[in-house]
Amino acid sequence: MSLEELQAIPAWDPATIRQLLPFVQLGIAIHRSIPFGKRLYAGNHSLLLRASQVLERAKGYQPPATNDKDHYQGNPMRLFTRYRYNYANLLQYGITADKDAGESFFKGAQRTGFDFYSFHFFARQLGKIKTLALGDFTVNMGQGLIHWQSLAFKKVRQYYR
């Protein structure tokens, strides 16, 4: 609500707050009754593509002397792709795809391309629906200005037993 609220953060003295003021912005909240159609095109898009490969050739890539399938079926390239769309915390969606080293890609056992796909969809204020969340998501908890947010440089695979 105001810059004075920064003083409520534990361990932040006036000198620290003065250093951070150029990075803090207060503004008018976005009106929640924006039409859904506008939410679909007026936001921000981001695309992350990452490829990596170990240069040393692993033994698993050498075909065995017999006709066994005990060697890696794909190339040693590891691929990761993530697309995200965000409109003012009212609409967010995205898809993540991953291929590990040694796995087939659009052939063999992986005819659909990547071996891991994940999506998420999040929307607020959709008429009678206040909040809708589908797919993989992360819950971040905190209070006020001391809100913890994880880094966005990795994807998260969670396995439940």
Side-chain angles (χ1 to χ4, degrees), residues 75-116:
N75 62 27
M77 182 74 66
R78 181 174 182 211
L79 301 172
F80 175 77
T81 303
R82 180 175 56 209
Y83 167 75
R84 284 184 179 173
Y85 176 81
N86 183 29
Y87 179 77
N89 204 18
L90 293 175
L91 177 65
Q92 301 168 15
Y93 58 84
I95 186 167
T96 301
D98 183 36
K99 173 209 165 301
D100 294 326
E103 294 176 341
S104 302
F105 193 57
F106 288 108
K107 62 182 178 180
Q110 295 299 336
R111 295 197 186 280
T112 59
F114 296 95
D115 70 319
F116 174 79

mmCIF file of all heavy atoms in Angstrom, residues 75-116:
data_model
loop_
_atom_site.group_PDB
_atom_site.id
_atom_site.type_symbol
_atom_site.label_atom_id
_atom_site.label_comp_id
_atom_site.label_asym_id
_atom_site.label_seq_id
_atom_site.Cartn_x
_atom_site.Cartn_y
_atom_site.Cartn_z
ATOM 1 N N ASN A 75 19.927 -40.151 -28.938
ATOM 2 C CA ASN A 75 21.204 -39.449 -28.949
ATOM 3 C C ASN A 75 21.534 -38.917 -27.554
ATOM 4 O O ASN A 75 20.682 -38.885 -26.678
ATOM 5 C CB ASN A 75 21.188 -38.323 -29.993
ATOM 6 C CG ASN A 75 20.145 -37.282 -29.702
ATOM 7 O OD1 ASN A 75 19.751 -37.061 -28.568
ATOM 8 N ND2 ASN A 75 19.679 -36.617 -30.744
ATOM 9 N N PRO A 76 22.760 -38.454 -27.327
ATOM 10 C CA PRO A 76 23.150 -37.982 -25.993
ATOM 11 C C PRO A 76 22.670 -36.561 -25.655
ATOM 12 O O PRO A 76 22.997 -36.041 -24.597
ATOM 13 C CB PRO A 76 24.678 -38.034 -26.043
ATOM 14 C CG PRO A 76 25.036 -37.946 -27.472
ATOM 15 C CD PRO A 76 23.907 -38.565 -28.236
ATOM 16 N N MET A 77 21.881 -35.954 -26.500
ATOM 17 C CA MET A 77 21.396 -34.590 -26.269
ATOM 18 C C MET A 77 20.258 -34.592 -25.251
ATOM 19 O O MET A 77 19.353 -35.416 -25.325
ATOM 20 C CB MET A 77 20.903 -33.982 -27.585
ATOM 21 C CG MET A 77 20.432 -32.567 -27.489
ATOM 22 S SD MET A 77 21.734 -31.357 -27.319
ATOM 23 C CE MET A 77 22.541 -31.503 -28.880
ATOM 24 N N ARG A 78 20.320 -33.672 -24.312
ATOM 25 C CA ARG A 78 19.225 -33.460 -23.370
ATOM 26 C C ARG A 78 18.523 -32.168 -23.767
ATOM 27 O O ARG A 78 19.166 -31.142 -23.972
ATOM 28 C CB ARG A 78 19.759 -33.326 -21.946
ATOM 29 C CG ARG A 78 18.648 -33.128 -20.962
ATOM 30 C CD ARG A 78 19.129 -33.149 -19.539
ATOM 31 N NE ARG A 78 17.950 -32.991 -18.693
ATOM 32 C CZ ARG A 78 17.958 -32.401 -17.534
ATOM 33 N NH1 ARG A 78 19.076 -31.938 -17.036
ATOM 34 N NH2 ARG A 78 16.856 -32.295 -16.841
ATOM 35 N N LEU A 79 17.187 -32.201 -23.879
ATOM 36 C CA LEU A 79 16.413 -31.049 -24.335
ATOM 37 C C LEU A 79 15.358 -30.669 -23.305
ATOM 38 O O LEU A 79 14.736 -31.544 -22.686
ATOM 39 C CB LEU A 79 15.708 -31.367 -25.655
ATOM 40 C CG LEU A 79 16.593 -31.769 -26.829
ATOM 41 C CD1 LEU A 79 15.739 -32.236 -27.991
ATOM 42 C CD2 LEU A 79 17.468 -30.609 -27.233
ATOM 43 N N PHE A 80 15.157 -29.376 -23.140
ATOM 44 C CA PHE A 80 14.144 -28.856 -22.233
ATOM 45 C C PHE A 80 13.496 -27.643 -22.890
ATOM 46 O O PHE A 80 14.188 -26.779 -23.425
ATOM 47 C CB PHE A 80 14.783 -28.440 -20.901
ATOM 48 C CG PHE A 80 13.822 -27.786 -19.956
ATOM 49 C CD1 PHE A 80 12.908 -28.532 -19.244
ATOM 50 C CD2 PHE A 80 13.835 -26.420 -19.778
ATOM 51 C CE1 PHE A 80 12.024 -27.931 -18.376
ATOM 52 C CE2 PHE A 80 12.952 -25.803 -18.911
ATOM 53 C CZ PHE A 80 12.049 -26.567 -18.200
ATOM 54 N N THR A 81 12.168 -27.585 -22.868
ATOM 55 C CA THR A 81 11.417 -26.481 -23.468
ATOM 56 C C THR A 81 10.311 -26.068 -22.502
ATOM 57 O O THR A 81 9.628 -26.928 -21.935
ATOM 58 C CB THR A 81 10.779 -26.915 -24.800
ATOM 59 O OG1 THR A 81 11.791 -27.375 -25.664
ATOM 60 C CG2 THR A 81 10.040 -25.779 -25.450
ATOM 61 N N ARG A 82 10.155 -24.753 -22.334
ATOM 62 C CA ARG A 82 9.060 -24.258 -21.495
ATOM 63 C C ARG A 82 8.485 -22.989 -22.122
ATOM 64 O O ARG A 82 9.217 -22.056 -22.444
ATOM 65 C CB ARG A 82 9.538 -23.955 -20.083
ATOM 66 C CG ARG A 82 8.401 -23.433 -19.204
ATOM 67 C CD ARG A 82 8.800 -23.233 -17.763
ATOM 68 N NE ARG A 82 9.932 -22.355 -17.673
ATOM 69 C CZ ARG A 82 10.836 -22.395 -16.702
ATOM 70 N NH1 ARG A 82 10.745 -23.289 -15.759
ATOM 71 N NH2 ARG A 82 11.833 -21.543 -16.682
ATOM 72 N N TYR A 83 7.169 -22.975 -22.298
ATOM 73 C CA TYR A 83 6.447 -21.797 -22.773
ATOM 74 C C TYR A 83 5.515 -21.342 -21.654
ATOM 75 O O TYR A 83 4.832 -22.174 -21.035
ATOM 76 C CB TYR A 83 5.627 -22.111 -24.026
ATOM 77 C CG TYR A 83 4.640 -21.014 -24.351
ATOM 78 C CD1 TYR A 83 5.064 -19.818 -24.911
ATOM 79 C CD2 TYR A 83 3.296 -21.160 -24.046
ATOM 80 C CE1 TYR A 83 4.165 -18.794 -25.180
ATOM 81 C CE2 TYR A 83 2.390 -20.147 -24.312
ATOM 82 C CZ TYR A 83 2.834 -18.968 -24.870
ATOM 83 O OH TYR A 83 1.941 -17.954 -25.124
ATOM 84 N N ARG A 84 5.489 -20.041 -21.403
ATOM 85 C CA ARG A 84 4.598 -19.476 -20.387
ATOM 86 C C ARG A 84 3.918 -18.224 -20.922
ATOM 87 O O ARG A 84 4.531 -17.462 -21.661
ATOM 88 C CB ARG A 84 5.379 -19.066 -19.139
ATOM 89 C CG ARG A 84 5.800 -20.184 -18.271
ATOM 90 C CD ARG A 84 6.453 -19.613 -17.041
ATOM 91 N NE ARG A 84 6.867 -20.672 -16.151
ATOM 92 C CZ ARG A 84 7.573 -20.469 -15.062
ATOM 93 N NH1 ARG A 84 7.952 -19.252 -14.747
ATOM 94 N NH2 ARG A 84 7.911 -21.467 -14.306
ATOM 95 N N TYR A 85 2.681 -18.034 -20.492
ATOM 96 C CA TYR A 85 1.934 -16.809 -20.792
ATOM 97 C C TYR A 85 1.402 -16.274 -19.467
ATOM 98 O O TYR A 85 0.921 -17.042 -18.624
ATOM 99 C CB TYR A 85 0.776 -17.102 -21.743
ATOM 100 C CG TYR A 85 -0.078 -15.882 -22.000
ATOM 101 C CD1 TYR A 85 0.310 -14.930 -22.923
ATOM 102 C CD2 TYR A 85 -1.256 -15.676 -21.292
ATOM 103 C CE1 TYR A 85 -0.461 -13.802 -23.149
ATOM 104 C CE2 TYR A 85 -2.033 -14.555 -21.513
ATOM 105 C CZ TYR A 85 -1.628 -13.624 -22.442
ATOM 106 O OH TYR A 85 -2.383 -12.505 -22.657
ATOM 107 N N ASN A 86 1.468 -14.963 -19.285
ATOM 108 C CA ASN A 86 1.007 -14.355 -18.039
ATOM 109 C C ASN A 86 0.318 -13.025 -18.347
ATOM 110 O O ASN A 86 0.873 -12.196 -19.064
ATOM 111 C CB ASN A 86 2.193 -14.122 -17.100
ATOM 112 C CG ASN A 86 1.762 -13.561 -15.768
ATOM 113 O OD1 ASN A 86 0.655 -13.813 -15.315
ATOM 114 N ND2 ASN A 86 2.639 -12.811 -15.137
ATOM 115 N N TYR A 87 -0.864 -12.846 -17.791
ATOM 116 C CA TYR A 87 -1.545 -11.568 -17.891
ATOM 117 C C TYR A 87 -1.936 -11.108 -16.486
ATOM 118 O O TYR A 87 -2.915 -11.585 -15.908
ATOM 119 C CB TYR A 87 -2.798 -11.637 -18.771
ATOM 120 C CG TYR A 87 -3.515 -10.316 -18.846
ATOM 121 C CD1 TYR A 87 -3.027 -9.302 -19.652
ATOM 122 C CD2 TYR A 87 -4.638 -10.064 -18.075
ATOM 123 C CE1 TYR A 87 -3.650 -8.066 -19.701
ATOM 124 C CE2 TYR A 87 -5.269 -8.841 -18.118
ATOM 125 C CZ TYR A 87 -4.768 -7.846 -18.936
ATOM 126 O OH TYR A 87 -5.378 -6.620 -18.979
ATOM 127 N N ALA A 88 -1.147 -10.235 -15.919
ATOM 128 C CA ALA A 88 -1.444 -9.502 -14.687
ATOM 129 C C ALA A 88 -2.009 -10.361 -13.564
ATOM 130 O O ALA A 88 -2.931 -9.957 -12.878
ATOM 131 C CB ALA A 88 -2.400 -8.364 -14.995
ATOM 132 N N ASN A 89 -1.526 -11.533 -13.374
ATOM 133 C CA ASN A 89 -1.969 -12.431 -12.314
ATOM 134 C C ASN A 89 -3.459 -12.767 -12.411
ATOM 135 O O ASN A 89 -4.062 -13.228 -11.467
ATOM 136 C CB ASN A 89 -1.647 -11.861 -10.931
ATOM 137 C CG ASN A 89 -1.546 -12.950 -9.890
ATOM 138 O OD1 ASN A 89 -1.380 -14.116 -10.239
ATOM 139 N ND2 ASN A 89 -1.651 -12.593 -8.645
ATOM 140 N N LEU A 90 -4.065 -12.524 -13.571
ATOM 141 C CA LEU A 90 -5.447 -12.917 -13.807
ATOM 142 C C LEU A 90 -5.524 -14.158 -14.692
ATOM 143 O O LEU A 90 -6.493 -14.897 -14.624
ATOM 144 C CB LEU A 90 -6.228 -11.774 -14.464
ATOM 145 C CG LEU A 90 -6.439 -10.530 -13.614
ATOM 146 C CD1 LEU A 90 -7.121 -9.449 -14.434
ATOM 147 C CD2 LEU A 90 -7.252 -10.859 -12.376
ATOM 148 N N LEU A 91 -4.508 -14.364 -15.532
ATOM 149 C CA LEU A 91 -4.482 -15.518 -16.413
ATOM 150 C C LEU A 91 -3.032 -15.953 -16.620
ATOM 151 O O LEU A 91 -2.180 -15.134 -16.976
ATOM 152 C CB LEU A 91 -5.110 -15.197 -17.771
ATOM 153 C CG LEU A 91 -5.084 -16.310 -18.813
ATOM 154 C CD1 LEU A 91 -5.949 -17.479 -18.353
ATOM 155 C CD2 LEU A 91 -5.534 -15.807 -20.159
ATOM 156 N N GLN A 92 -2.771 -17.217 -16.366
ATOM 157 C CA GLN A 92 -1.445 -17.790 -16.592
ATOM 158 C C GLN A 92 -1.628 -19.197 -17.146
ATOM 159 O O GLN A 92 -2.480 -19.935 -16.678
ATOM 160 C CB GLN A 92 -0.666 -17.884 -15.280
ATOM 161 C CG GLN A 92 -0.472 -16.569 -14.578
ATOM 162 C CD GLN A 92 0.049 -16.758 -13.167
ATOM 163 O OE1 GLN A 92 0.516 -17.823 -12.793
ATOM 164 N NE2 GLN A 92 -0.051 -15.714 -12.374
ATOM 165 N N TYR A 93 -0.835 -19.531 -18.144
ATOM 166 C CA TYR A 93 -0.840 -20.901 -18.637
ATOM 167 C C TYR A 93 0.503 -21.198 -19.266
ATOM 168 O O TYR A 93 1.279 -20.296 -19.585
ATOM 169 C CB TYR A 93 -1.990 -21.182 -19.612
ATOM 170 C CG TYR A 93 -2.020 -20.311 -20.840
ATOM 171 C CD1 TYR A 93 -1.262 -20.622 -21.968
ATOM 172 C CD2 TYR A 93 -2.840 -19.191 -20.904
ATOM 173 C CE1 TYR A 93 -1.303 -19.832 -23.102
ATOM 174 C CE2 TYR A 93 -2.891 -18.398 -22.023
ATOM 175 C CZ TYR A 93 -2.121 -18.723 -23.122
ATOM 176 O OH TYR A 93 -2.164 -17.934 -24.235
ATOM 177 N N GLY A 94 0.787 -22.479 -19.426
ATOM 178 C CA GLY A 94 2.062 -22.848 -20.020
ATOM 179 C C GLY A 94 2.195 -24.344 -20.170
ATOM 180 O O GLY A 94 1.379 -25.123 -19.673
ATOM 181 N N ILE A 95 3.247 -24.733 -20.875
ATOM 182 C CA ILE A 95 3.562 -26.138 -21.093
ATOM 183 C C ILE A 95 5.069 -26.332 -20.967
ATOM 184 O O ILE A 95 5.847 -25.458 -21.341
ATOM 185 C CB ILE A 95 3.048 -26.633 -22.479
ATOM 186 C CG1 ILE A 95 3.254 -28.138 -22.608
ATOM 187 C CG2 ILE A 95 3.682 -25.855 -23.608
ATOM 188 C CD1 ILE A 95 2.512 -28.761 -23.774
ATOM 189 N N THR A 96 5.449 -27.474 -20.414
ATOM 190 C CA THR A 96 6.848 -27.834 -20.234
ATOM 191 C C THR A 96 7.068 -29.198 -20.869
ATOM 192 O O THR A 96 6.222 -30.081 -20.749
ATOM 193 C CB THR A 96 7.204 -27.904 -18.736
ATOM 194 O OG1 THR A 96 6.956 -26.631 -18.146
ATOM 195 C CG2 THR A 96 8.647 -28.280 -18.522
ATOM 196 N N ALA A 97 8.194 -29.371 -21.568
ATOM 197 C CA ALA A 97 8.528 -30.646 -22.193
ATOM 198 C C ALA A 97 10.010 -30.922 -21.960
ATOM 199 O O ALA A 97 10.825 -30.014 -21.978
ATOM 200 C CB ALA A 97 8.224 -30.608 -23.684
ATOM 201 N N ASP A 98 10.345 -32.206 -21.745
ATOM 202 C CA ASP A 98 11.713 -32.573 -21.402
ATOM 203 C C ASP A 98 12.072 -33.907 -22.048
ATOM 204 O O ASP A 98 11.254 -34.822 -22.099
ATOM 205 C CB ASP A 98 11.836 -32.670 -19.882
ATOM 206 C CG ASP A 98 13.245 -32.972 -19.418
ATOM 207 O OD1 ASP A 98 14.185 -32.477 -20.060
ATOM 208 O OD2 ASP A 98 13.402 -33.671 -18.407
ATOM 209 N N LYS A 99 13.294 -34.005 -22.537
ATOM 210 C CA LYS A 99 13.854 -35.251 -23.078
ATOM 211 C C LYS A 99 15.204 -35.460 -22.429
ATOM 212 O O LYS A 99 16.063 -34.582 -22.456
ATOM 213 C CB LYS A 99 14.019 -35.171 -24.593
ATOM 214 C CG LYS A 99 14.741 -36.370 -25.197
ATOM 215 C CD LYS A 99 15.460 -35.927 -26.458
ATOM 216 C CE LYS A 99 16.473 -36.860 -26.991
ATOM 217 N NZ LYS A 99 17.569 -37.230 -26.174
ATOM 218 N N ASP A 100 15.390 -36.611 -21.804
ATOM 219 C CA ASP A 100 16.655 -36.926 -21.158
ATOM 220 C C ASP A 100 17.648 -37.487 -22.167
ATOM 221 O O ASP A 100 17.274 -37.962 -23.242
ATOM 222 C CB ASP A 100 16.447 -37.932 -20.030
ATOM 223 C CG ASP A 100 15.621 -37.358 -18.894
ATOM 224 O OD1 ASP A 100 15.748 -36.147 -18.639
ATOM 225 O OD2 ASP A 100 14.857 -38.111 -18.276
ATOM 226 N N ALA A 101 18.916 -37.438 -21.805
ATOM 227 C CA ALA A 101 19.966 -37.974 -22.674
ATOM 228 C C ALA A 101 19.756 -39.472 -22.879
ATOM 229 O O ALA A 101 19.395 -40.194 -21.959
ATOM 230 C CB ALA A 101 21.330 -37.713 -22.056
ATOM 231 N N GLY A 102 19.965 -39.933 -24.091
ATOM 232 C CA GLY A 102 19.853 -41.350 -24.409
ATOM 233 C C GLY A 102 18.463 -41.817 -24.771
ATOM 234 O O GLY A 102 18.284 -42.972 -25.162
ATOM 235 N N GLU A 103 17.471 -40.966 -24.662
ATOM 236 C CA GLU A 103 16.108 -41.365 -24.987
ATOM 237 C C GLU A 103 15.781 -41.024 -26.431
ATOM 238 O O GLU A 103 16.303 -40.065 -26.988
ATOM 239 C CB GLU A 103 15.121 -40.663 -24.056
ATOM 240 C CG GLU A 103 15.269 -41.106 -22.621
ATOM 241 C CD GLU A 103 14.359 -40.356 -21.680
ATOM 242 O OE1 GLU A 103 13.872 -39.261 -22.050
ATOM 243 O OE2 GLU A 103 14.146 -40.847 -20.570
ATOM 244 N N SER A 104 14.905 -41.819 -27.008
ATOM 245 C CA SER A 104 14.476 -41.574 -28.388
ATOM 246 C C SER A 104 13.729 -40.257 -28.471
ATOM 247 O O SER A 104 13.170 -39.785 -27.484
ATOM 248 C CB SER A 104 13.555 -42.697 -28.855
ATOM 249 O OG SER A 104 14.205 -43.940 -28.762
ATOM 250 N N PHE A 105 13.686 -39.693 -29.669
ATOM 251 C CA PHE A 105 12.992 -38.419 -29.879
ATOM 252 C C PHE A 105 12.247 -38.495 -31.205
ATOM 253 O O PHE A 105 12.863 -38.528 -32.262
ATOM 254 C CB PHE A 105 14.002 -37.272 -29.868
ATOM 255 C CG PHE A 105 13.405 -35.907 -29.764
ATOM 256 C CD1 PHE A 105 12.586 -35.578 -28.709
ATOM 257 C CD2 PHE A 105 13.676 -34.946 -30.711
ATOM 258 C CE1 PHE A 105 12.039 -34.311 -28.594
ATOM 259 C CE2 PHE A 105 13.142 -33.677 -30.615
ATOM 260 C CZ PHE A 105 12.316 -33.362 -29.546
ATOM 261 N N PHE A 106 10.918 -38.556 -31.155
ATOM 262 C CA PHE A 106 10.043 -38.702 -32.318
ATOM 263 C C PHE A 106 10.297 -39.993 -33.095
ATOM 264 O O PHE A 106 10.076 -40.053 -34.301
ATOM 265 C CB PHE A 106 10.140 -37.497 -33.256
ATOM 266 C CG PHE A 106 9.490 -36.268 -32.710
ATOM 267 C CD1 PHE A 106 10.252 -35.202 -32.278
ATOM 268 C CD2 PHE A 106 8.108 -36.189 -32.612
ATOM 269 C CE1 PHE A 106 9.650 -34.063 -31.760
ATOM 270 C CE2 PHE A 106 7.497 -35.053 -32.099
ATOM 271 C CZ PHE A 106 8.269 -33.992 -31.670
ATOM 272 N N LYS A 107 10.760 -41.019 -32.412
ATOM 273 C CA LYS A 107 10.917 -42.345 -33.023
ATOM 274 C C LYS A 107 11.040 -43.374 -31.917
ATOM 275 O O LYS A 107 11.187 -43.019 -30.746
ATOM 276 C CB LYS A 107 12.130 -42.388 -33.951
ATOM 277 C CG LYS A 107 13.450 -42.132 -33.266
ATOM 278 C CD LYS A 107 14.586 -42.145 -34.266
ATOM 279 C CE LYS A 107 15.888 -41.829 -33.545
ATOM 280 N NZ LYS A 107 17.016 -41.812 -34.426
ATOM 281 N N GLY A 108 10.991 -44.631 -32.268
ATOM 282 C CA GLY A 108 11.119 -45.695 -31.280
ATOM 283 C C GLY A 108 10.020 -45.630 -30.241
ATOM 284 O O GLY A 108 8.841 -45.501 -30.552
ATOM 285 N N ALA A 109 10.421 -45.711 -28.976
ATOM 286 C CA ALA A 109 9.457 -45.708 -27.878
ATOM 287 C C ALA A 109 8.848 -44.327 -27.645
ATOM 288 O O ALA A 109 7.821 -44.212 -26.983
ATOM 289 C CB ALA A 109 10.132 -46.189 -26.595
ATOM 290 N N GLN A 110 9.446 -43.264 -28.179
ATOM 291 C CA GLN A 110 8.954 -41.905 -27.963
ATOM 292 C C GLN A 110 8.467 -41.284 -29.272
ATOM 293 O O GLN A 110 8.998 -40.293 -29.739
ATOM 294 C CB GLN A 110 10.057 -41.031 -27.346
ATOM 295 C CG GLN A 110 10.481 -41.438 -25.981
ATOM 296 C CD GLN A 110 9.324 -41.355 -24.992
ATOM 297 O OE1 GLN A 110 8.363 -40.632 -25.175
ATOM 298 N NE2 GLN A 110 9.422 -42.133 -23.935
ATOM 299 N N ARG A 111 7.454 -41.827 -29.850
ATOM 300 C CA ARG A 111 6.935 -41.315 -31.117
ATOM 301 C C ARG A 111 6.282 -39.939 -30.959
ATOM 302 O O ARG A 111 6.106 -39.219 -31.934
ATOM 303 C CB ARG A 111 5.938 -42.296 -31.715
ATOM 304 C CG ARG A 111 6.597 -43.603 -32.110
ATOM 305 C CD ARG A 111 5.717 -44.377 -33.063
ATOM 306 N NE ARG A 111 6.271 -45.692 -33.327
ATOM 307 C CZ ARG A 111 7.257 -45.928 -34.179
ATOM 308 N NH1 ARG A 111 7.802 -44.937 -34.828
ATOM 309 N NH2 ARG A 111 7.707 -47.155 -34.365
ATOM 310 N N THR A 112 5.924 -39.560 -29.729
ATOM 311 C CA THR A 112 5.305 -38.253 -29.495
ATOM 312 C C THR A 112 6.339 -37.182 -29.162
ATOM 313 O O THR A 112 5.961 -36.068 -28.801
ATOM 314 C CB THR A 112 4.284 -38.332 -28.352
ATOM 315 O OG1 THR A 112 4.954 -38.778 -27.164
ATOM 316 C CG2 THR A 112 3.150 -39.266 -28.697
ATOM 317 N N GLY A 113 7.609 -37.486 -29.263
ATOM 318 C CA GLY A 113 8.650 -36.487 -29.019
ATOM 319 C C GLY A 113 9.250 -36.609 -27.642
ATOM 320 O O GLY A 113 9.944 -37.561 -27.345
ATOM 321 N N PHE A 114 8.968 -35.650 -26.796
ATOM 322 C CA PHE A 114 9.533 -35.614 -25.451
ATOM 323 C C PHE A 114 8.961 -36.750 -24.600
ATOM 324 O O PHE A 114 7.844 -37.200 -24.830
ATOM 325 C CB PHE A 114 9.220 -34.268 -24.795
ATOM 326 C CG PHE A 114 9.861 -33.099 -25.485
ATOM 327 C CD1 PHE A 114 9.170 -32.372 -26.438
ATOM 328 C CD2 PHE A 114 11.155 -32.718 -25.178
ATOM 329 C CE1 PHE A 114 9.753 -31.294 -27.071
ATOM 330 C CE2 PHE A 114 11.747 -31.638 -25.805
ATOM 331 C CZ PHE A 114 11.045 -30.922 -26.755
ATOM 332 N N ASP A 115 9.705 -37.160 -23.575
ATOM 333 C CA ASP A 115 9.207 -38.213 -22.699
ATOM 334 C C ASP A 115 8.447 -37.651 -21.501
ATOM 335 O O ASP A 115 7.786 -38.386 -20.789
ATOM 336 C CB ASP A 115 10.353 -39.100 -22.212
ATOM 337 C CG ASP A 115 11.268 -38.392 -21.227
ATOM 338 O OD1 ASP A 115 11.574 -37.217 -21.454
ATOM 339 O OD2 ASP A 115 11.675 -39.024 -20.244
ATOM 340 N N PHE A 116 8.530 -36.348 -21.282
ATOM 341 C CA PHE A 116 7.835 -35.716 -20.156
ATOM 342 C C PHE A 116 7.145 -34.445 -20.639
ATOM 343 O O PHE A 116 7.786 -33.571 -21.228
ATOM 344 C CB PHE A 116 8.839 -35.368 -19.049
ATOM 345 C CG PHE A 116 8.227 -34.591 -17.917
ATOM 346 C CD1 PHE A 116 7.482 -35.231 -16.946
ATOM 347 C CD2 PHE A 116 8.399 -33.222 -17.827
ATOM 348 C CE1 PHE A 116 6.910 -34.514 -15.896
ATOM 349 C CE2 PHE A 116 7.833 -32.502 -16.789
ATOM 350 C CZ PHE A 116 7.096 -33.150 -15.826
#
